[in-house]
Amino acid sequence: MAKNATTMDKLVSLCKRRGFVYQSSEIYGGLSSAWDYGPLGVELKKNIQNVWWKEMTQMHDNIVGLDAAILMHPRVWEASGHVENFTDPLVDCKECKTRFRADHLDPEALEAKKCPECGGELTEPRQFNLMFQTHMGAVADANTAVYLRPETAQGIFVNFKNVLQSSRVKIPFGIAQVGKAFRNEITTKNFIFRTCEFEQMEMQFFVKPGEDDKWFDYWREQRWAYYTEKLGVNPEKIRWHQHGPDELAHYAKDAYDIEFEFPFGFSELEGVHNRTDFDLSRHSEYTGKEINYLEEETKERYIPYVVETSAGLTRSVLMILSDAYEEEDLGVDGKGRPDIRTVMRFHPNLAPITVAVFPLVKKDGLAELARSIEEELRDDFATFYDQSGAIGRRYRRQDEIGTPFCITVDYDTKEDKTVTLRFRDSMEQVRIGIDELVPTIKKAIKNYKRV
Ligand code: ATP
C-alpha cells in the first residue's frame, strides 16, 4: 500500500512538473476534481483518442462516427431514465463532515453508521442525482433548465435514424463518439480517475434482437485485445468484473467492466453493456416516433438491441500513465551515487513526443544541422529539439516523459551523414545514416514490444 501510495504521489508530481496534468484554476487555490491537461498531457490524451478512434471506425467498415452536442433536449434525460435513476446514495459524517458514496463504504461501517475517517456518526443514505443542471437563455426557471450530458451515449441514440438514413449503414452496425460528459460526483479523489468533468469514448453497436449475446461476447474479446495489443497494457494488470444483479444499470441485461490495477487497486476502466432495446424504445415512447429498423431482405421491422462499449478517455490517461511509470535501478552513477532512472514506458503510438533531436554541442554548425534533421522528421513524427545541458541529462529528461527515440548529431554527422539513435527502453545506441532514420523508427514502432 505504501509503495502504491508513493507511486500515485510521484505520478501526480511528475504530471505537474513535466506538464501532463495541472490542478484546475490552481492560482485561485484550485477547484477540486477538475484538472487541466498541459502540453504533454493533451498530446497523450489525443494519441489515446486517435488509437481508439482508428480501432473503432477505421478498422471496422460497419462503424461510423458522430459528434453530438453536450446540451440536449431535457426530455432526453427523462426518456433515458437519468432523471429518475441516475442517482448515487450519499451519506455524510456528522462529525468531520466528510461525504461518502454509501455503495463505496465497507458494508459493516455503513451498517454501524460509523465514519471510516474519524469514527463519527454517519447520516442515513439519501439519493442524490448526478446530473449537472444549467439554464439555456436569459431567464433561469424550470422551463429553461437543461442538463450537461452525463454520458455521450444518448447523443447516439437520438441520432440513430439520422445516421441510418444518411449513411446507408445496415445492421449490425455501430456509431462511435468521443466527448465530454459531466457528473456531479459525490466523492472525487485519486487524481483524474473520477472527476466531475471527463471524457468518454463510446461505441453503440446496433444488432438484431436475439443476436445480442453473440455480439456482446464479440465486443468483450475485441476490447480486451485493444488494451493488451493496441495499447500494450500489461495483461496481468487488467481483469474482467461481471456486474451482479444489484450492480446492473437500469437499462442493462448484462454488463462486464474491464478493470485496471491502478496504484490504489483494481478499478473500472471501461464497461461493456448489453443495453437491450431500452433506449430506442424509450425514445420512441417519449417522442411518439417509431425509432426502429426495417430489414430489407426479410421486410422485418424491429427495435435493435444495443451492445455498448463505454471507456473513459481521461481515465485511460491515468491508466496509461500508471502503467508506463517505472523507476529503473541502474546501480551507481560515475560519482558512486545510486542511479535511478525514471522512465515512462509509453507505447510509441501514445508517447507525446516520438523523436527528440539533440546536437552534441551548440557550436560549429551542429545546432543548425540538428535543427534541420528535426525539421525533416516533422512530417512523420511528433518531434522535439533540445540543445541545452549535458547529453546524458537530455536523454534522461526524455526518458521521464516517455520519448521512445532520441537522435544525437555530432561532428561525424557532418562528415558521414550518420547520427546516433538511442532507444528509450533498452538505452541501446546505434549509429545509422540520416536517410535510414524514418524507416528504422517506423519499423521499431510497428514491432514495439514492451520490455
Ligand atoms: P462508477 O460506478 O465508477 O461511478 P459507472 O459504472 O457509472 O462508473 P459508466 O457509466 O459505465 O461508469 O461510464 C463508462 C466509463 O466512463 C467508465 O468506465 C469510466 O471509464 C468513465 N467514467 C465514468 N464516470 C467517470 C468520472 N466521474 N470520471 C472519469 N471517468 C468516468
Side-chain angles (χ1 to χ4, degrees):
M1 182 60 209
K3 184 169 177 284
N4 289 338
T6 320
T7 308
M8 201 61 194
D9 287 348
K10 285 180 179 168
L11 260 186
V12 175
S13 129
L14 185 144
C15 280
K16 176 168 182 197
R17 185 160 38 83
R18 299 306 309 269
F20 283 95
V21 182
Y22 315 120
Q23 172 77 69
S24 161
S25 330
E26 193 181 358
I27 59 169
Y28 284 93
L31 181 68
S32 74
S33 132
W35 300 87
D36 299 338
Y37 291 78
L40 295 179
V42 72
E43 297 295 339
L44 177 62
K45 182 151 71 74
K46 248 199 263 170
N47 291 344
I48 297 172
Q49 178 178 333
N50 288 345
V51 172
W52 183 90
W53 190 259
K54 182 172 177 192
E55 170 75 7
M56 285 305 188
T57 64
Q58 280 152 259
M59 305 306 278
H60 292 91
D61 60 8
N62 55 351
I63 302 184
V64 293
L66 180 80
D67 185 11
I70 287 171
L71 299 174
M72 301 178 73
H73 195 290
R75 292 263 291 159
V76 168
W77 306 109
E78 290 172 30
S80 69
H82 282 81
V83 170
E84 193 185 342
N85 295 314
F86 199 54
T87 55
D88 276 339
L90 158 84
V91 292
D92 286 307
C93 173
K94 291 181 182 169
E95 305 277 320
C96 69
K97 310 289 177 212
T98 309
R99 190 154 272 186
F100 303 94
R101 241 172 84 171
D103 57 330
H104 283 179
L105 281 179
D106 177 38
E108 279 178 21
L110 190 62
E111 176 77 31
K113 291 197 180 164
K114 199 165 165 192
C115 172
E117 300 284 332
C118 75
E121 194 192 342
L122 295 176
T123 60
E124 285 293 332
R126 55 201 159 96
Q127 291 301 326
F128 170 78
N129 195 296
L130 299 180
M131 282 197 294
F132 274 98
Q133 206 184 52
T134 184
H135 292 272
M136 207 166 198
V139 185
D141 62 26
N143 297 326
T144 61
V146 288
Y147 298 102
L148 303 185
R149 66 180 176 194
E151 62 174 26
T152 56
Q154 297 305 325
I156 290 178
F157 297 131
V158 300
N159 278 297
F160 173 77
K161 278 268 165 177
N162 282 336
V163 173
L164 201 60
Q165 284 157 4
S166 58
S167 59
R168 303 171 64 91
V169 279
K170 280 189 180 162
I171 277 185
F173 75 92
I175 304 178
Q177 175 168 222
V178 181
K180 291 234 173 185
F182 301 82
R183 297 181 187 178
N184 208 349
E185 298 278 2
I186 296 167
T187 48
T188 53
K189 53 182 181 189
N190 293 329
F191 195 32
I192 53 174
F193 176 79
R194 182 183 303 285
T195 48
C196 289
E197 175 177 350
F198 57 99
E199 279 173 80
Q200 290 186 313
M201 305 183 286
E202 293 199 308
M203 193 279 299
Q204 322 291 326
F205 200 72
F206 299 92
V207 304
K208 190 170 180 173
E211 297 192 351
D212 47 316
D213 292 336
K214 181 183 88 186
W215 284 108
F216 186 71
D217 292 344
Y218 170 84
W219 279 109
R220 280 185 55 207
E221 269 171 39
Q222 290 282 309
R223 298 308 296 151
W224 186 267
Y226 159 83
Y227 285 108
T228 54
E229 288 162 29
K230 297 286 162 63
L231 298 189
V233 173
N234 180 354
E236 283 168 21
K237 283 195 176 174
I238 55 174
R239 70 178 187 196
W240 286 109
H241 164 75
Q242 184 177 17
H243 283 208
D246 53 332
E247 286 173 282
L248 280 177
H250 58 274
Y251 51 73
K253 171 175 154 188
D254 200 0
Y256 278 81
D257 292 339
I258 295 179
E259 297 185 334
F260 175 77
E261 190 175 18
F262 291 94
F264 43 85
F266 273 99
S267 291
E268 174 179 341
L269 182 64
E270 160 158 357
V272 181
H273 308 131
N274 182 341
R275 290 180 81 123
T276 69
D277 58 0
F278 177 85
D279 300 275
L280 293 183
S281 301
R282 293 274 288 201
H283 289 306
S284 300
E285 192 188 312
Y286 275 68
T287 58
K289 300 187 171 88
E290 287 187 10
I291 306 177
N292 51 27
Y293 180 77
L294 175 67
E295 208 165 78
E296 251 172 51
E297 296 78 21
T298 61
K299 304 285 174 246
E300 201 185 333
R301 197 177 274 283
Y302 55 81
I303 298 184
Y305 266 44
V306 171
V307 175
E308 158 183 85
T309 71
S310 174
L313 171 55
T314 41
R315 200 172 277 187
S316 294
V317 172
L318 182 59
M319 169 194 67
I320 294 297
L321 286 166
S322 6
D323 192 44
Y325 185 87
E326 216 170 291
E327 288 176 14
E328 193 182 5
D329 188 348
L330 298 177
V332 287
D333 66 12
K335 292 184 179 145
R337 292 170 308 199
D339 189 6
I340 307 287
R341 176 171 84 124
T342 301
V343 51
M344 283 296 204
R345 296 196 193 275
F346 294 133
H347 189 290
N349 285 334
L350 302 182
I353 296 165
T354 322
V355 184
V357 183
F358 317 139
L360 184 65
V361 289
K362 278 179 259 185
K363 56 184 186 183
D364 302 327
L366 291 190
E368 292 75 11
L369 184 55
R371 193 42 123 170
S372 70
I373 292 172
E374 186 261 322
E375 281 171 1
E376 281 280 301
L377 294 172
R378 283 182 192 177
D379 274 345
D380 295 282
F381 310 108
T383 61
F384 181 74
Y385 174 80
D386 184 9
Q387 61 177 25
S388 62
I391 203 81
R393 284 178 54 105
R394 277 183 262 170
Y395 283 142
R396 292 297 178 90
R397 280 207 295 262
Q398 294 304 315
D399 290 342
E400 201 186 37
I401 59 168
T403 306
F405 310 101
C406 290
I407 292 166
T408 300
V409 172
D410 57 23
Y411 288 101
D412 286 344
T413 312
K414 285 166 91 175
E415 306 301 322
D416 61 6
K417 302 216 173 340
T418 65
V419 292
T420 299
L421 174 64
R422 180 216 190 234
F423 298 88
R424 175 197 69 203
D425 288 356
S426 61
M427 294 192 286
E428 186 198 351
Q429 302 188 7
V430 294
R431 195 77 197 171
I432 71 165
I434 295 171
D435 52 0
E436 292 171 73
L437 278 172
V438 172
T440 306
I441 294 172
K442 282 195 172 163
K443 195 166 156 209
I445 295 176
K446 201 156 186 235
N447 298 333
Y448 180 77
K449 281 263 172 308
R450 178 153 171 187
V451 289

